[in-house]
Amino acid sequence: QAVSKVDLLEFMASFNTIARAAAADEAFYEERGVKLYSLEVTRYECADGKTASVLQEIIQETTNRINRMQKQRSDNEVEHEELTAKIEREKQRSALIEAQAANEKLQKSVEGESEGTRLAQNTLAFLRQLNVSVPDAQERLSLLRFFSEQATLTKQTEHLSTGTASLFLTPQDVNLKIQGAHRPGAAYV
């Protein structure tokens, strides 16, 4: 009786509670000569075929929805892991670039210090060698400047000759004068 008084939706939502209430009605079973020790719902089916068909459709749609949700959750987890891995890779790339930049900076610093030390030693050696032959310090410094400028010009010329650059000079830049033999009666062009 307890079962027959509820609709399908209420039964689906709380059939355990309904079954316990039905088992509690001992008088119902004693009138029929039954001694009830326990009551378990092992299955149920609808009395009406149309209700059973609708119930089957509801069950199928609910199952499909649950499957779609689980698949979406799984897809989301996979995408999350892929993104996490990409982020970690990019962090490692950034760390590598920073380490390479720091190493390159240190290497250039050491090269600069080495070049500076070499230049200072060459300058001292040059000035010491001129101590006897050129006693005036200003004159020794002027000679050092002159040789440094010549070395720089030689290096620039070397770079120009080995590269693809073009150098354009005017006659005034090189103090160029062109003289030719003049024939009497010939016009200058």
Side-chain angles (χ1 to χ4, degrees):
Q1 287 176 333
V3 175
S4 63
K5 294 179 184 175
V6 295
D7 62 9
L8 178 63
L9 184 61
E10 188 178 342
F11 179 76
M12 294 290 292
S14 60
F15 70 86
N16 282 330
T17 306
I18 295 169
R20 277 195 294 276
D25 187 7
E26 292 180 22
F28 174 79
Y29 297 103
E30 284 177 4
E31 288 175 6
R32 289 164 178 76
V34 175
K35 178 73 174 153
L36 182 65
Y37 292 101
S38 73
L39 176 68
E40 292 180 17
V41 177
T42 56
R43 75 183 186 104
Y44 57 88
E45 74 181 57
C46 298
D48 178 24
K50 185 177 178 184
T51 304
S53 175
V54 170
L55 180 60
Q56 191 59 39
E57 287 177 18
I58 292 170
I59 291 170
Q60 186 62 46
E61 182 55 37
T62 303
T63 302
N64 290 342
R65 184 176 56 82
I66 290 170
N67 288 341
R68 283 191 310 267
M69 287 173 55
Q70 286 177 337
K71 183 182 181 312
Q72 185 63 50
R73 244 184 254 118
S74 176
D75 291 346
N76 290 347
E77 288 173 4
V78 168
E79 186 177 355
H80 179 265
E81 289 302 317
E82 287 174 351
L83 287 175
T84 301
K86 284 180 182 180
I87 289 169
E88 187 58 35
R89 254 192 324 270
E90 290 303 318
K91 285 179 181 177
Q92 289 174 352
R93 283 184 187 152
S94 293
L96 174 63
I97 290 169
E98 288 174 5
Q100 287 174 333
N103 285 342
E104 188 175 337
K105 182 179 178 183
L106 179 61
Q107 183 180 3
K108 295 298 180 187
S109 175
V110 168
E111 288 173 5
E113 286 177 20
S114 175
E115 179 64 24
T117 302
R118 187 188 62 76
L119 184 61
Q121 288 174 345
N122 288 345
T123 301
L124 279 173
F126 181 83
L127 292 174
R128 280 188 191 136
Q129 284 181 343
L130 291 178
N131 268 346
V132 175
S133 59
V134 182
D136 183 32
Q138 283 298 337
E139 203 172 324
R140 285 194 306 264
L141 212 49
S142 293
L143 283 171
L144 176 64
R145 239 185 247 114
F146 173 76
F147 283 119
S148 294
E149 288 170 359
Q150 294 305 308
T152 301
L153 288 173
T154 302
K155 194 60 134 172
Q156 288 174 346
T157 305
E158 181 183 322
H159 288 304
L160 282 172
S161 68
T162 59
T164 58
S166 298
L167 176 65
F168 297 97
L169 300 171
T170 64
Q172 292 80 13
D173 291 333
V174 292
N175 198 13
L176 179 66
K177 293 181 185 170
I178 300 176
Q179 291 183 337
H182 179 65
R183 285 185 258 137
Y188 286 104
V189 181

